[in-house]
Amino acid sequence: MDLNALRAATQGISAHRELMGTAIMQMTDQIFLMLAYQNGENALNAYAELFYALRKEGCEGLGDWLWDYLRYTETPYARLMERGGSDPALENAARRDIDTLVLLAQTDCDRFIDAMKPLLPDEYAPVLAGLPRWRAAAPFDFDRLTRFYQANGAGLFAKYRAFLWEDGKLVPVPDPDCPRPEDLLGYEHQRGQVEQNTRLMLAGRQPNNVLLFGDGGTGKSATVKSMLCLPGMEDLRLIEIEKENLTGMPGLIRSLEGRRQKFILFIDDLAFDQDDKTYSSLKTILEGSLEKRPANVCICATSNRRHLVRQSFADRAGDEVDTFETISEKTALAERFGLRIPYLTMNKTGYLALVDHLAAQAGITMDPEALHAQAMTWELRHAGRTPRVARQFVASLSV
């Protein structure tokens, strides 16, 4: 296909129309356009800018960039394949688009350079001869791309597994801080409950919302984050939500319905002051809204408080007529979590076993009795027998 015909074909891209608005594709089109107008200098400038832009994106060729863009951008065709739907017109349009993009990616740079030669004065000959080339190859075709959508979904959820929800937007976390199962010791029963609930969701069943409450440093947050590292959880995605962003949760939940992935919405260190009315919004999100919660969404919250809303003695001895109803309202939020799991301070045996485990991991060789004696002394001076205290103690020995 000659260059003019190839440009005409790219102008007809329809199922992936937003692709044509990207800077890379606009630079590519500029090369075609300037060659058609026989403007060699502008064609040369567009060529150089395209090479720079591809390298800036970390791509060796246009095909590499297109492969990343097509996999991780939500398009109508990608969502259709993710849902397992059927739309012959859309499918045919997508096939024509991808066939055109394959031809574009396979176009050798020498074809552009050769087309510039008769349009430029002789002094440009050394410049053209020394121009860098990008790789002309297409690491994809229509069938491969379709299989990717069917297996992985589309967009950011196909590329990343962890996100932050900030100001109404999802912010990917490329390298989340998720402990591996072998890094956790103790609280096996509690972690097992969270894992079982998560696997129910992955199996397509409606999970319970989960509240992990108890002493600080016991591993509540680590339990939730460790779900990403368990085998068989490849379709699980974790979205961390700050309390200040709870009001945007209904819209987020709505956007997750119908996705092939399963989602834990993670709210860490949840607690409300007495005059904080945000808890009423969370109550409605958990239960009470007209909208049904999708089966692929589960809310997991951690808190040092069992009832989440701080109470004072004035609440119980105040002058309000319906004091019991006031107290009940403030404790009702925790009751809307179907699964409430306590994390209490470890006993001495469990704490010392964890110290031994962490010390062995750190390569610390010490007489067990001396190690245990120092561990107990450390525990008395700190917050109690918790995994956090054990890690801090072992870290002090490694200094």
Side-chain angles (χ1 to χ4, degrees):
M1 183 179 292
D2 65 39
L3 295 182
N4 287 332
L6 184 54
R7 178 177 186 262
T10 62
Q11 295 304 301
I13 287 177
S14 52
H16 300 84
R17 194 63 199 172
E18 72 284 350
L19 172 67
M20 301 306 294
T22 62
I24 294 287
M25 289 302 293
Q26 288 180 346
M27 294 174 197
T28 305
D29 186 63
Q30 189 71 3
I31 299 175
F32 285 121
L33 189 61
M34 291 302 101
L35 289 175
Y37 287 163
Q38 297 190 339
N39 188 327
E41 290 186 0
N42 284 342
L44 173 60
N45 184 64
Y47 180 99
E49 288 203 7
L50 178 57
F51 177 85
Y52 174 80
L54 289 173
R55 283 301 195 269
K56 189 176 181 180
E57 293 288 335
C59 299
E60 294 184 6
L62 187 56
D64 299 326
W65 181 85
L66 285 168
W67 179 224
D68 275 349
Y69 181 91
L70 292 169
R71 281 182 296 173
Y72 304 127
T73 301
E74 288 192 21
T75 63
Y77 179 70
R79 289 302 311 275
L80 179 72
M81 292 299 99
E82 181 183 26
R83 296 191 304 267
S86 176
D87 183 339
L90 179 58
E91 293 170 37
N92 289 334
R95 182 180 290 276
R96 287 195 302 272
D97 289 355
I98 300 307
D99 289 345
T100 297
L101 294 173
V102 167
L103 291 174
L104 177 63
Q106 292 175 339
T107 300
D108 194 276
C109 293
D110 285 335
R111 295 186 61 188
F112 296 116
I113 295 172
D114 289 343
M116 294 181 213
K117 288 179 180 179
L119 305 178
L120 291 166
D122 292 342
E123 57 264 29
Y124 279 90
V127 177
L128 294 177
L131 279 179
R133 273 73 165 167
W134 57 81
R135 184 171 63 180
F140 62 93
D141 57 27
F142 178 75
D143 292 335
R144 184 179 180 187
L145 186 62
T146 298
R147 289 193 298 270
F148 178 86
Y149 293 146
Q150 293 169 339
N152 302 282
L156 290 177
F157 294 133
K159 188 173 185 179
Y160 302 102
R161 299 193 64 199
F163 301 84
L164 301 176
W165 176 250
E166 295 181 348
D167 300 324
K169 295 181 181 180
L170 285 171
V171 179
V173 181
D175 186 22
D177 180 20
C178 297
R180 298 167 298 175
E182 57 268 26
D183 294 331
L184 302 174
L185 191 65
Y187 304 97
E188 287 84 0
H189 177 67
Q190 289 90 332
R191 291 201 307 275
Q193 289 180 282
V194 178
E195 179 181 347
Q196 182 182 21
N197 189 67
T198 304
R199 292 197 184 278
L200 284 176
M201 178 171 62
L202 288 165
R205 296 172 59 182
Q206 185 80 45
N208 273 313
N209 293 319
V210 184
L211 173 63
L212 294 76
F213 66 91
D215 299 316
T218 49
K220 302 182 293 296
S221 300
T223 293
V224 178
K225 293 188 288 186
S226 70
M227 294 297 109
L228 285 182
C229 298
L230 295 176
M233 299 283 192
E234 291 75 17
D235 274 345
L236 183 65
R237 301 293 181 266
L238 183 65
I239 303 175
E240 184 171 357
I241 301 172
E242 298 289 340
K243 194 185 78 170
E244 293 75 17
N245 295 311
L246 290 180
T247 53
M249 277 183 65
L252 171 62
I253 294 172
R254 204 174 296 125
S255 71
L256 301 178
E257 186 173 8
R259 296 278 185 177
R260 62 164 288 118
Q261 294 90 358
K262 317 300 179 184
F263 300 89
I264 289 179
L265 306 187
F266 175 43
I267 310 170
D268 195 23
D269 197 19
L270 185 62
F272 298 96
D273 292 321
Q274 296 181 47
D275 57 351
D276 189 342
K277 300 304 180 184
T278 310
Y279 75 89
S280 297
S281 301
L282 184 56
K283 278 170 58 179
T284 303
I285 293 169
L286 292 168
E287 284 185 13
S289 172
L290 183 62
E291 289 185 279
K292 182 180 179 181
R293 176 167 57 90
N296 66 331
V297 175
C298 169
I299 299 172
C300 287
T302 69
S303 178
N304 293 343
R305 294 176 172 271
R306 180 173 185 173
H307 295 305
L308 301 179
V309 183
R310 295 184 178 91
Q311 298 183 58
S312 65
F313 286 109
D315 291 332
R316 299 178 179 272
D319 58 0
E320 186 172 342
V321 175
D322 296 318
T323 303
F324 176 77
E325 291 186 4
T326 300
I327 296 172
S328 297
E329 180 186 9
K330 291 187 174 183
T331 59
L333 176 57
E335 294 171 357
R336 297 201 177 195
F337 288 89
L339 194 57
R340 298 182 291 279
I341 305 173
Y343 274 67
L344 306 178
T345 300
M346 304 176 80
N347 59 32
K348 180 179 178 180
T349 301
Y351 170 70
L352 293 177
L354 180 56
V355 168
D356 290 338
H357 176 73
L358 295 174
Q361 280 188 333
I364 295 173
T365 57
M366 182 184 293
D367 177 72
E369 291 187 6
L371 178 67
H372 291 177
Q374 290 189 35
M376 294 307 299
T377 301
W378 181 277
E379 176 263 321
L380 289 174
R381 296 174 180 173
H382 293 76
R385 294 189 295 265
T386 69
R388 180 182 296 162
V389 170
R391 286 194 299 270
Q392 292 170 346
F393 165 67
V394 172
S396 74
L397 297 177
S398 303
V399 176

